Amino acid sequence: MALAIFDLDNTLLAGDSDHAWGQFLVDEGLVDAQLFKEKNDYYYLQYQEGSLNIREYLEFALQPLTQMPLEQLHALRERFVNDIIRPLIPQAAWDILQEHRNKGDYLLIITATNRFVTEPIAQLLEVDDLIATDPEMIDGQYTGKVAGVPSFQAGKVTRLEAWLEEKQVSLAGSYFYSDSHNDLPLLDQVDHPVAVDADEALTAAALANQWPIISLRN
C-alpha cells in the first residue's frame, strides 16, 4: 500500500475552499462585507505570491468561527459544501482518486485550509484521512486560535512526519499532487511528485526536476 497524498485547493478542487468560505460569509451578510472581502482577497494574493504570514492570516480567517454557535456554523458549512464546493470538483479529480483506490493506495489530503472547512470536503471525496490546520476549540467553542502547527509550506512536512510516525507507515512509493509552489517542501519528500494545474513557480520546478505535469480541470 502506497500513500497517495493530495493537496486540496486548486488541486482536487477547481478553486480555493478557504477563500470561497470567506466569500460565502460575505455573501450571506455574516461579516463586514467590504472589510472582510478586502482582507480575504489580500491574503489570497499573498498566498499565491508565496509571502503569506500564515499565523496572521489564520487570526483573520478563524475569527468568524468564534462569533456563531456551532449549530449555526454546521448548518452554514453544509450549505457551503453542497452549493459552492460540489460544483468545484472536476470529474477528473474523482477519477484520479478512484484510480488510486483501485491500486489499493491510501488516500490522504493535506491542506493548509482549516479542518472546520475541509473535513466535510474530505468526507465528500471519500479519502482515508485528512491533515489540515486545526482550529483550537475549548469547551465546545472555537477560540480563533490555532492548535498545533499549521499545515502550510514546511509545516506540511512537519505534520506529515508526525502522522507517519503515529500510523507507522513510510513514504515508500508515495505520491503527492499539488498546484502550488508553497508545497515544494513536501513535493521534494515523496517518490512521485506531480504538478497539477500548477502555478508558474511550481511549473518551472516541475520542468527542472522532470516531474509529471497534469491537469484535472474539465
Side-chain angles (χ1 to χ4, degrees), residues 19-32:
H19 186 265
W21 170 252
Q23 186 59 49
F24 179 75
L25 295 177
V26 169
D27 294 342
E28 291 292 309
L30 296 168
V31 292
D32 182 302

Side-chain angles (χ1 to χ4, degrees), residues 53 81 87 116 143 160 210 212:
N53 181 322
V81 171
F116 172 81
T143 67
L160 179 61
Q210 298 185 312

Side-chain angles (χ1 to χ4, degrees), residues 26-46:
V26 169
D27 294 342
E28 291 292 309
L30 296 168
V31 292
D32 182 302
Q34 181 176 350
L35 179 61
F36 196 91
K37 186 179 187 309
E38 284 178 0
K39 283 195 171 184
N40 200 33
D41 292 346
Y42 167 74
Y43 286 122
Y44 187 53
L45 180 61
Q46 281 194 334

Side-chain angles (χ1 to χ4, degrees), residues 163-174:
W163 185 91
L164 292 169
E165 184 175 351
E166 177 188 346
K167 301 293 184 183
Q168 291 296 291
V169 295
S170 77
L171 287 177
S174 58

Side-chain angles (χ1 to χ4, degrees), residues 4 6 10 18 25 39 56 63 90 99 111 123 140 143 159 172 176-177 180 183:
F6 297 86
N10 291 307
D18 213 359
L25 295 177
K39 283 195 171 184
E56 180 182 311
Q63 191 58 33
E99 179 184 322
T111 175
Q123 291 169 354
T143 67
R159 293 288 304 278
F176 180 39
Y177 296 83
S180 175
D183 285 335

